[in-house]
Amino acid sequence: MSPLLVKANKAGGKIVEVTPESAGWTHVGFAAHRLQAGESLQLETGGRELCIVVLTGTVTVQAGEQQWREIGHRQSVFEDRSPYAVYVPLDTTVNIAAVSNAEVGLCSAPATTHRPARLIDPATMTRSVRGKGANTRYVCDILPQTAEADGLLVVEVVTPSGHSSSYPPHKHDSDNVPLESSLEETYYHRLNPEQGFAYQRVYTDDRSIDEAMAVENHDVVMVPRGYHPVTVPYGYDGYYLNVMAGPKRVWHFKNDPAHDWLMTK
């Protein structure tokens, strides 16, 4: 199995977890949790900022002295609407209580700024369509670089059946702004129907990394560097939640020159 693929736990509360220590990098952390109605999850942000994404179900979030009751309205990540999310700064106690059965994504990165926790309302999120033909996909910016945070960038993407995504292959592993920025990244994959699979390749120009992975529902792919396209087979729709962070909080990418001609198609 590829060292870049983190397989999901099929049962239990913690679905999957990536830490800087487990990934062997510096910035990005991600975890996904299942919560049954009435269950709760408590954590401390410590020296990291956190973006809680309510993937499905309804939860109440307490962050320090602030509380947001019964947020979340999706039964599936494939519904055509944006999620609720909560931004939480460093050094904060967090409690997530499930009002209904729920799934939450916990996206984190190092932070130094004590800003207020805040609700990220779905109505404030930018939705867009990228690509054309079999490269069309549907994007929701949850925590873009225009929103306040120290390092975190969070976005979700739905890729229709038979389509490619993060394509043409692009990378963001060089600190060469504005041409390219250096960002670690995780892909949290969901498939519809759930028994489906998708393919993701992660590779560098010199092929020091060249991994092709079959990903199943709830798996995570880690992208420390290199290009990282995704393809979803016919009959299944793909979803992924991306977490990015690096030394500069900007997203500039470079297409693989061998495939950049696809931008003119």
Side-chain angles (χ1 to χ4, degrees):
M1 188 174 73
S2 169
L4 302 182
L5 178 62
V6 182
K7 297 296 292 181
N9 297 314
K10 302 302 183 184
K14 184 181 291 184
I15 301 170
V16 70
E17 183 177 35
V18 174
T19 66
E21 292 76 21
S22 69
W25 59 30
T26 305
H27 300 277
V28 169
F30 176 75
H33 289 259
R34 302 179 188 92
L35 294 172
Q36 301 298 310
E39 291 184 337
S40 62
L41 175 67
Q42 184 162 312
L43 55 103
E44 303 283 341
T45 58
R48 301 176 67 79
E49 61 186 356
L50 174 69
C51 181
I52 303 165
V53 181
V54 186
L55 296 167
T56 61
T58 303
V59 301
T60 291
V61 175
Q62 181 89 33
E65 297 182 356
Q66 296 181 266
Q67 185 184 76
W68 296 275
R69 297 186 59 81
E70 299 187 9
I71 59 173
H73 53 193
R74 299 194 303 196
Q75 297 307 305
S76 168
V77 295
F78 292 95
E79 291 180 15
D80 187 20
R81 51 180 170 175
S82 305
Y84 277 84
V86 175
Y87 173 86
V88 185
L90 74 167
D91 297 330
T92 304
T93 299
V94 180
N95 187 78
I96 305 168
V99 178
S100 68
N101 292 350
E103 181 181 337
V104 295
L106 307 179
C107 317
S108 70
T112 58
T113 305
H114 288 86
R115 56 174 57 85
R118 67 182 188 271
L119 178 70
I120 307 174
D121 191 280
T124 68
M125 298 177 187
T126 300
R127 298 173 66 82
S128 60
V129 181
R130 289 188 194 150
K132 58 185 178 180
N135 195 34
T136 303
R137 63 270 199 198
Y138 302 93
V139 180
C140 176
D141 289 306
I142 298 169
L143 188 65
Q145 64 189 46
T146 53
E148 284 195 20
D150 279 12
L152 268 177
L153 297 164
V154 182
V155 63
E156 65 176 16
V157 178
V158 172
T159 307
S161 167
H163 285 215
S164 297
S165 195
S166 293
Y167 189 79
H170 70 265
K171 72 182 184 78
H172 37 73
D173 58 15
S174 176
D175 187 6
N176 188 26
V177 175
L179 299 178
E180 187 179 352
S181 55
S182 179
L183 297 168
E184 303 161 355
E185 185 169 22
T186 53
Y187 278 67
Y188 177 56
H189 289 272
R190 297 293 308 277
L191 282 304
N192 183 38
E194 292 188 351
Q195 71 270 24
F197 58 92
Y199 296 107
Q200 185 159 20
R201 183 186 182 195
V202 180
Y203 67 98
T204 56
D205 288 313
D206 63 3
R207 302 303 192 265
S208 59
I209 295 177
D210 194 357
E211 300 283 343
M213 293 156 276
V215 295
E216 297 178 301
N217 202 34
H218 299 289
D219 289 349
V220 168
V221 171
M222 301 182 294
V223 184
R225 62 186 188 277
Y227 308 99
H228 40 276
V230 175
T231 299
V232 182
Y234 172 76
Y236 295 93
D237 294 321
Y239 164 98
Y240 51 78
L241 179 68
N242 282 143
V243 185
M244 293 181 283
K248 296 176 182 175
R249 191 173 178 261
V250 290
W251 182 56
H252 295 283
F253 63 88
K254 174 189 174 184
N255 287 334
D256 184 341
H259 306 295
D260 193 45
W261 65 272
L262 292 162
M263 294 299 292
T264 65
K265 293 290 285 182

